[in-house]
Amino acid sequence: METLSRRALNRATLDRQLLLSRAKLSAFDAVEHLAGLQAQAPFPPYFGLWTRLAGFRPAELAELLESRRVVRIALMRGTVHLVTAADALAWRPVVQPLYDRDLKTNTLHARALAGLDHDAVASAARELLTASAWSSTALGAELAKTWDVPPSSLTHLARGRLPLVQTPPRAIWGKAGQTTYACLDEWVGAPLPPPSPASLIARYLRAFGPATVADVQTWAGITRLGEVAASMDLRRYRDDDGRELLDLPELTVPPEDVPAPPRLLGPFDQTILSYANRARVVSDAYRKRVITQNGLVKGTLLVDGQVCGLWEIQASRKAAVIELSPFEKLRKRDAAALEKSAGELVRWAEPGSATHEVRVHAPA
């Protein structure tokens, strides 16, 4: 069985995540290829596509949301993702056990929900949402007229039992909007199919492989996928530590010496979050500086395929400033490439600001 070094896995990840070179894909094709984009906050997917696609325009993704070809929905790991409508329909039934378990164990809501008929609450919520979209707050308040339970807990139950999408104008570039829900199947006009864990595994490997079963389960947020993977026709490798890596048989990995240009990854980028062993892209020491204790994931600097710093934009009508904070001293050519890319990013993200500036901090 062939062994893949950590560097080889890094290059495979960058290749499949469209980070070796900017791809000439439509936003829709990229979202599908990437197995979706992390979307806990409204706008990280736009930054994710900017760094991966040639000539990406925010209006292209906004139109996909408004036309319902892509949706924002809680899926893998219980977090909101931006995915194609077809993938949302296919994947929500697969990860439903995660939501069923959460309703019994969630530290904020499980006790309040323990004595309720979950089916009855979900049915009432669906009836309301069939008539129109409801904000998170209003949905809970309406359900609380029937069940003497905190409204936030009732909304949490509805979100766990029903495939709820967050509707526009939430996450439309340049606009603001509160979280407003609709049922996925009614929103896109198609039913949810029976769950197919094997299909989910295959899509993960196409976007993130080669990877271990533990990696797949970390991304999906569900367990017992090893049994499914064992029944699939997959290519198998080993990593440097002897762990078995899975991949689709028709896919290959690039040479480990292929160049990896410096990149600015957006907040919550899935490249950092989608593995049990994240060392292929970020060291343990740096990971603690990238992911905060309350789960926020900062925008990062990528050099030679590895996270080596942070970036952040502060903007007003007068000025937009992007601050680069490397963790280590960078080679001049890498630093120059990051500064150039940062200048392009801040002008793209904040076109309405009168001035644009890149500030580079000393390594800390």
Side-chain angles (χ1 to χ4, degrees):
M1 189 180 297
E2 183 181 352
T3 297
L4 297 179
S5 68
R6 182 177 295 178
R7 185 177 178 86
L9 289 176
N10 172 269
R11 292 310 192 255
T13 296
L14 298 180
D15 182 41
R16 298 193 191 178
Q17 281 292 301
L18 307 180
L19 291 168
L20 286 181
S21 62
R22 279 194 165 97
K24 296 180 180 178
L25 293 175
S26 69
F28 180 86
D29 288 343
V31 171
E32 184 177 56
H33 170 86
L34 295 165
L37 294 154
Q38 292 279 140
Q40 289 101 312
F43 303 121
Y46 292 87
F47 291 96
L49 292 179
W50 176 86
T51 203
R52 289 170 167 86
L53 301 182
F56 170 68
R57 297 175 300 104
E60 186 180 359
L61 182 55
E63 190 279 328
L64 291 174
L65 283 162
E66 291 174 328
S67 66
R68 309 186 186 188
R69 295 183 66 200
V70 304
V71 297
R72 298 179 74 249
I73 180 172
L75 282 175
M76 288 72 71
R77 302 186 306 285
T79 59
V80 178
H81 283 70
L82 184 145
V83 296
T84 68
D87 284 341
L89 291 165
W91 296 348
R92 181 54 194 260
V94 181
V95 300
Q96 183 60 41
L98 167 69
Y99 293 90
D100 294 339
R101 183 172 65 250
D102 173 76
L103 291 175
K104 298 177 181 179
T105 61
N106 187 280
T107 55
L108 293 177
H109 303 293
R111 179 172 295 183
L113 299 175
L116 293 187
D117 183 335
H118 289 194
D119 288 340
V121 177
S123 178
R126 177 177 279 278
E127 185 174 349
L128 291 170
L129 293 163
T130 297
S132 65
W134 286 69
S135 73
S136 176
T137 301
L139 178 63
E142 186 66 20
L143 292 171
K145 293 178 181 178
T146 303
W147 289 276
D148 186 20
V149 171
S152 61
S153 294
L154 292 168
T155 299
H156 185 79
L157 191 159
R159 182 177 178 266
R161 291 297 302 274
L162 300 173
L164 300 187
V165 297
Q166 296 186 10
T167 63
R170 182 76 169 170
I172 298 299
W173 187 260
K175 296 183 180 180
Q178 62 181 326
T179 300
T180 304
Y181 290 125
C183 286
L184 168 66
D185 46 340
E186 295 171 358
W187 182 252
V188 302
L192 277 71
S196 175
S199 296
L200 185 70
I201 291 171
R203 287 296 303 284
Y204 172 84
L205 294 175
R206 188 169 295 279
F208 296 100
T212 65
V213 169
D215 291 327
V216 185
Q217 292 183 159
T218 294
W219 172 75
I222 55 177
T223 58
R224 303 185 67 178
L225 293 181
E227 302 169 16
V228 181
S231 68
M232 298 172 65
D233 178 21
L234 297 173
R235 178 176 293 181
R236 286 169 165 79
Y237 302 96
R238 295 276 181 199
D239 68 10
D240 285 337
D241 296 317
R243 289 177 290 235
E244 184 179 63
L245 301 162
L246 309 176
D247 204 6
L248 299 182
E250 68 271 20
L251 298 184
T252 59
V253 298
E256 66 176 46
D257 60 352
V258 66
R263 286 275 187 265
L264 276 70
L265 299 186
F268 295 103
D269 196 280
Q270 67 267 23
T271 307
I272 296 172
L273 298 173
S274 300
Y275 299 96
N277 182 1
R278 298 170 179 172
R280 68 172 73 191
V281 289
V282 58
S283 69
D284 288 341
Y286 288 171
R287 176 175 53 82
K288 295 174 183 178
R289 300 175 68 174
V290 170
I291 303 175
T292 67
Q293 289 186 343
N294 58 354
L296 297 178
V297 184
K298 302 175 183 179
T300 53
L301 310 178
L302 208 64
V303 170
D304 195 28
Q306 291 287 319
V307 170
C308 66
L310 306 173
W311 67 264
E312 185 177 14
I313 292 177
Q314 302 289 342
S316 67
R317 290 184 179 180
K318 290 184 178 181
V321 178
I322 183 168
E323 300 188 31
L324 308 186
S325 302
F327 298 150
E328 59 198 52
K329 184 174 177 59
L330 302 177
R331 294 182 300 179
K332 288 184 178 180
R333 66 180 183 183
D334 291 331
L338 288 172
E339 288 185 48
K340 180 177 183 295
S341 186
E344 295 168 352
L345 176 57
V346 71
R347 289 189 292 272
W348 172 86
E350 302 293 341
S353 294
T355 63
H356 301 86
E357 181 184 353
V358 179
R359 295 178 186 169
V360 182
H361 298 281

